[in-house]
Each structure stands twice: as structure tokens, then as C-alpha cells.
């Protein structure tokens, strides 16, 4: 609506819009403004039912075979390719904290070897054997943690 129809000044030269038409125009403008919100609320209300098992088959013109379509392409029903990549990086980083724990364990193991050799030098060979066995366990744990972190990083 232009300002000439809604202007109260110069009412004798410009025709005024009747009150009924003004109310209809205002409700039309409000409906146009709220239409995207109504569409958004419809998508969020069907988000829980957006699984491939609940998708409706659609007939294809070329093959006449049923093709599955998603009910919703937003929110939780979005395809896995559109998932945020930061989630897998965050999971990988949390798993890699355990590698720091393995490094700390190896440091404590060799510190205990030095203290044990200082207290009883005659047990040097036995203490070193036990230290190498413990280091092998800690290295195995570190390798398993790195493999799990890689699975978390590159999984979908």
C-alpha cells in the first residue's frame, strides 16, 4: 500500500482506503510475514518421524520403481553427509587424551626403575625386565587408543 492511500493529510485530494479494506490488507501483510515461521514449525514438528524406514515410496516415471524419499531434510532428519565434521574431530581429540596418560605411565615406569636400581643395584636385570614388560603393555594401550581415535575421526 502506498502512502497516498494511508495518509490522513489532504483527505479532500486523496481518496482514503475504507477501514474494511485496511484490515484485510493488514491481515494479508501479517500472513505474508508469518508464512516462513509456519513452514519452519511444520518441519520441526515432523523431525521425530524423519527416518528412512518411515519414508514414503514415490513412483519414478523412468523406471516405475518405488524410490524412497526423506520426509524431512532438516534437523535430525538431515543426511549424514551434511553432519558437522567438528563432532568427529572432538571425539578423536577426547580419545587422544589417553595417549597422554600412556606417556605419563611410561615416564613413571622408568622413574620407578631408576629408584629401584638406586635402592638395590643387584636387582638391576630383573627390574629392567619388568620395566620392559610394563612398557610393552602401555605401548599396546597407546596403539589401541590411536586406532579407536582414527575410527572416531573417519567414521560417519
Amino acid at each position: 500500500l502506498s502512502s497516498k492511500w494511508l495518509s490522513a493529510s489532504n483527505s479532500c485530494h486523496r481518496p482514503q482506503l475504507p477501514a474494511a479494506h485496511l484490515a484485510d490488507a493488514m491481515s494479508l501483510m501479517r500472513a505474508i510475514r508469518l508464512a516462513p515461521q509456519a513452514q519452519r514449525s511444520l518441519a520441526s514438528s515432523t523431525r521425530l518421524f524423519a527416518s528412512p524406514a518411515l519414508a514414503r515410496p514415490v513412483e519414478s516415471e523412468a523406471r516405475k520403481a518405488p524410490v524412497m524419499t526423506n520426509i524431512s531434510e532438516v534437523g535430525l532428519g538431515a543426511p549424514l553427509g551434511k553432519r558437522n565434521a567438528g563432532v568427529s574431530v572432538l571425539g578423536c581429540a577426547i580419545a587422544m587424551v589417553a595417549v597422554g596418560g600412556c606417556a605419563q605411565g611410561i615416564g613413571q615406569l622408568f622413574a620407578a626403575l631408576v629408584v629401584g636400581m638406586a635402592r638395590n643395584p643387584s636387582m638391576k636385570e630383573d627390574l629392567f625386565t619388568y620395566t620392559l614388560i610394563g612398557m610393552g603393555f602401555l605401548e599396546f594401550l597407546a596403539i589401541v587408543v590411536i586406532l579407536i581415535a582414527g575410527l572416531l575421526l573417519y567414521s560417519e
Side-chain angles (χ1 to χ4, degrees):
L1 296 171
S2 66
S3 63
K4 70 178 183 178
W5 293 101
L6 297 177
S7 174
S9 64
N10 272 343
S11 61
C12 61
H13 297 302
R14 294 182 184 154
Q16 291 292 321
L17 196 62
H21 292 294
L22 183 62
D24 289 341
M26 295 301 257
S27 64
L28 178 66
M29 288 171 38
R30 183 171 187 269
I32 290 171
R33 183 174 47 105
L34 294 178
Q37 293 176 359
Q39 186 179 19
R40 195 176 323 127
S41 67
L42 177 66
S44 65
S45 66
T46 60
R47 186 179 343 174
L48 295 175
F49 302 110
S51 78
L54 298 176
R56 296 184 203 115
V58 175
E59 290 291 326
S60 173
E61 286 93 21
R63 300 180 282 167
K64 296 295 181 192
V67 176
M68 302 302 277
T69 60
N70 287 334
I71 293 174
S72 174
E73 293 289 331
V74 296
L76 297 176
L80 289 177
K82 294 183 180 179
R83 171 178 72 82
N84 292 334
V87 176
S88 61
V89 173
L90 186 62
C92 177
I94 291 171
M96 290 299 283
V97 171
V99 174
C102 292
Q104 182 182 6
I106 291 173
Q108 287 182 353
L109 194 63
F110 279 100
L113 172 69
V114 169
V115 169
M117 287 168 65
R119 288 179 184 237
N120 193 357
S122 64
M123 293 284 296
K124 181 167 60 169
E125 290 84 15
D126 291 337
L127 290 175
F128 189 70
T129 303
Y130 298 146
T131 302
L132 289 181
I133 291 171
M135 194 182 100
F137 282 126
L138 286 171
E139 287 293 325
F140 173 72
L141 180 63
I143 290 170
V144 168
V145 165
I146 289 171
L147 288 175
I148 290 174
L151 285 174
L152 288 173
L153 183 62
Y154 294 110
S155 66
E156 290 240 358

